[in-house]
Amino acid sequence: MNPTSSPALPGSSLDARRRLRELDRLTGGAADSAVDVLVVGLGATGAGAALDAATRGLTVAAIDAHDLAFGTSRWSSKLIHGGLRYLASGQLDVAHESAVERGILMERTAPHLVRAQPFVLPLTPLVSRGQAALARAGFLAGDLLRVGARTSRSTLPQPRTLSAVETRHLAPALRPTGLRGGLLSWDGRLSDDARLVTAIARTAAAYGAHVLTRTRALELHRDGALVRDETTGQELRIRARTVINAAGVWAGGLVDDVRLRPSRGTHLVLRSEQLGRLSAGLHIPIPGESNRFVLVLPQGDGRVYVGLTDEPVDGDIPDVPEVPETDIGFLLDVLGSALDVTVHRADVVGAFAGLRPLLDTRDAAGRTADISRKHAVLTSPSGVVTVVGGKLTTYRRMAQDAVDAAVTAGGLSAGPCRTASVPLVGAARPQVLAGLDVPARLVYRYGSEAPAVHRLGLEDPALARPVVPGHPVTGAELVWAVRHEGALDTSDLLDRRTRIGLVPEDRAVAEEAARAALSETSQVP
């Protein structure tokens, strides 16, 4: 490996060789191979639990049948919410917890990945003056949540009312007829949800956790798990003093008596030029709903996401959820209620859906939109700890509660939770990040590691070129993902370390570059 392209946090690199070494050590039968905590699932919550346990001084193994952020954690709206929706529904504890966790991410642990995002709620003829007043009061209450969470005003500016001219300046695609103005608010926005998970997992690795993808849990027991190496088909045992089941929507398949009621959230992918210049995201009220919105989310990479739905899902849980045409039609209809441009079905260049692992409380009748997003930590009679529910924003607190329960269940000796003050890989003070002499887009995705990624392109000009015309991801980023971020195949590269794969047309173009990155790095000693 070229020493000039090393990561900023020693020990944080994940690659195929490290995976093989650590899997062999954990399953080799040595007397010291047992770990204190085995975490099953490497979404945000599972990776967070691995980091939490490792920073408390526990020995940790964390496994996933597929890849980092393979499940729900890569299908979100890429937002770190402050809890306004939960405040409106009376879930004060969830709202406060969300605001606190948002502040931790934005100001302490991941300021390079989470930044302030402005949103405009357009006051169209479909929004009554009473609804506008209620929304305005809600945004002010959301600002009080910010105060209660002790998040700086410089981090999240104050909400305010906009004139019609100001509203269309931020979002020219809005229909001017009947537009009375808008409401400007702010929330946290991720550069990429899967990148957050990657950063959490790599930080856990830097603190000594064994992070193993392509390792499927077949059976969970109080003292470990039977697993299968998905690259070879070999079945092996990992011994542990306690087990945390953080498998998300698949958690119920590993532990009895855990009942989930998944909810599907669908997003559309549009080309940016379809909606013109968007300087802010949009909250478009859903006609007939008092507290539900469709979000229009400019990504800064030539794409815009439009979402999301909240529909119950029955039956078996697929690895990759399909997007029903009914969801696409619904989102396009809501868009059409506010925009001056017509977005046709043919303009939808991609779509994705995620399944929220909501706890089935059996007393929650009706829509999954009405089920609380509060997480739950359950300890089975066999001693396996399962964490379900919650949302991406509160992953750290979910992980903390899960590790607390695991420490109790396993009778372990551990220090207090530290993750509220542990910076993730790439984190640095804003003034440090602002002073990096590299493209801002790289800083937003890699933080303090951006110069090392950029240097790969300087050393090999072929790697400096975008792998897809019109999309900013370069070959250097693919090589970095294989060398340091645990990417093992083209899907890891195109669908999770980058988001190229959300548009099938772009994915096809990028396949060759992805294979080249995997081939090039396999030659590095």
Side-chain angles (χ1 to χ4, degrees):
M1 181 187 303
N2 190 327
T4 64
S5 62
S6 298
L9 186 61
S12 66
S13 288
L14 299 175
D15 61 20
R17 292 177 179 83
R18 178 169 178 170
R19 175 190 174 277
L20 287 175
R21 288 196 307 269
E22 297 194 344
L23 182 62
D24 181 65
R25 179 186 179 281
L26 288 170
T27 60
D32 63 345
S33 63
V35 293
D36 293 321
V37 180
L38 170 64
V39 180
V40 179
L42 279 166
T45 304
L51 175 59
D52 187 296
T55 53
R56 296 193 198 200
L58 299 171
T59 55
V60 181
I63 65 174
D64 195 282
H66 299 285
D67 182 31
L68 304 176
F70 181 84
T72 304
S73 291
R74 64 165 158 151
W75 302 127
S76 77
S77 296
K78 319 295 182 280
L79 295 176
I80 299 298
H81 289 292
L84 179 58
R85 174 178 176 181
Y86 313 108
L87 186 66
S89 60
Q91 301 177 57
L92 302 183
D93 53 346
V94 179
H96 176 69
E97 181 177 89
S98 297
V100 169
E101 295 302 320
R102 177 183 63 182
I104 289 172
L105 280 162
M106 297 186 77
E107 297 188 335
R108 286 185 250 168
T109 62
H112 58 310
L113 296 177
V114 187
R115 299 186 180 184
Q117 170 70 45
F119 282 96
V120 172
L121 193 164
L123 300 179
T124 70
L126 294 177
V127 180
S128 70
R129 295 191 181 278
Q131 289 174 316
L134 186 62
R136 187 179 296 109
F139 289 140
L140 292 175
D143 195 49
L144 290 178
L145 282 175
R146 176 200 61 78
V147 174
R150 299 183 179 180
T151 302
S152 167
R153 168 73 72 211
S154 62
T155 299
L156 286 169
Q158 187 173 13
R160 67 182 182 91
T161 302
L162 302 171
S163 68
V165 172
E166 289 175 311
T167 300
R168 292 207 74 229
H169 177 74
L170 291 173
L174 288 170
R175 185 178 299 123
T177 306
L179 185 66
R180 306 191 306 273
L183 302 177
L184 178 67
S185 62
W186 298 78
D187 216 337
R189 175 197 165 190
L190 271 169
S191 59
D192 188 326
D193 47 7
R195 292 211 62 75
L196 174 66
V197 177
T198 299
I200 299 167
R202 290 183 57 209
T203 308
Y207 279 90
H210 305 292
V211 177
L212 304 172
T213 59
R214 304 303 197 282
T215 307
R216 183 183 296 274
L218 302 175
E219 298 175 4
L220 300 187
H221 306 284
R222 178 188 297 273
D223 61 350
L226 175 67
V227 305
R228 182 171 65 226
D229 180 354
E230 294 290 87
T231 67
T232 65
Q234 184 179 10
E235 294 188 5
L236 306 158
R237 287 195 176 274
I238 296 178
R239 297 189 300 126
R241 296 172 183 87
T242 188
V243 177
I244 296 175
N245 174 17
V249 289
W250 297 281
L254 292 172
V255 175
D256 294 335
D257 300 325
V258 173
R259 296 190 303 268
L260 299 179
R261 195 177 180 195
S263 167
R264 183 182 64 247
T266 294
H267 293 78
L268 311 182
V269 184
L270 307 176
R271 300 289 189 190
S272 296
E273 58 266 24
Q274 185 65 37
L275 300 182
R277 179 186 55 80
L278 278 175
S279 301
L282 295 176
H283 286 122
I284 300 181
I286 297 175
E289 300 274 358
S290 60
N291 189 40
R292 290 184 65 204
F293 305 90
V294 162
L295 305 179
V296 179
L297 305 160
Q299 297 301 300
D301 62 357
R303 299 173 179 178
V304 175
Y305 301 157
V306 177
L308 74 167
T309 60
D310 200 329
E311 299 295 332
V313 175
D314 298 315
D316 295 335
I317 304 299
D319 282 348
V320 178
E322 294 185 1
V323 176
E325 284 295 325
T326 51
D327 285 8
I328 296 175
F330 166 78
L331 292 170
L332 290 178
D333 286 345
V334 177
L335 267 186
S337 71
L339 299 187
D340 200 30
V341 297
T342 302
V343 181
H344 300 284
R345 177 63 180 85
D347 297 319
V348 179
V349 296
F352 59 93
L355 301 181
R356 306 174 184 91
L358 305 181
L359 184 66
D360 187 353
T361 58
R362 293 298 182 187
D363 60 355
R367 304 179 309 177
T368 49
D370 299 323
I371 299 179
S372 173
R373 267 43 175 183
K374 187 172 179 62
H375 65 272
V377 176
L378 314 169
T379 302
S380 70
S382 65
V384 174
V385 173
T386 297
V387 54
V388 292
K391 55 202 186 74
L392 180 66
T393 302
T394 59
Y395 85 87
R396 192 206 63 83
R397 183 53 192 264
M398 294 170 65
Q400 176 182 338
D401 292 348
V403 174
D404 284 345
V407 167
T408 299
L412 305 176
S413 177
C417 176
R418 297 175 48 203
T419 51
S421 59
V422 173
L424 302 182
V425 167
R429 295 188 305 277
Q431 56 269 36
V432 173
L433 296 176
L436 296 177
D437 187 22
V438 296
R441 190 192 71 86
L442 291 181
V443 177
Y444 194 16
R445 294 178 63 80
Y446 298 93
S448 62
E449 292 188 325
V453 179
H454 185 58
R455 196 174 298 119
L456 289 173
L458 297 178
E459 295 167 350
D460 183 351
L463 295 179
R465 293 192 292 268
V467 298
V468 176
H471 196 278
V473 171
T474 66
E477 293 174 73
L478 301 184
V479 169
W480 181 267
V482 180
R483 290 187 182 181
H484 301 294
E485 296 179 343
L488 300 180
D489 64 17
T490 58
S491 181
D492 292 354
L493 288 172
L494 303 181
D495 299 331
R496 288 170 290 279
R497 302 308 180 278
T498 70
R499 306 314 294 246
I500 292 173
L502 289 178
V503 177
E505 179 183 344
D506 293 347
R507 193 185 201 284
V509 173
E511 283 274 0
E512 182 178 352
R515 289 192 294 269
L518 291 160
S519 174
E520 187 275 343
T521 52
S522 69
Q523 306 302 317
V524 177

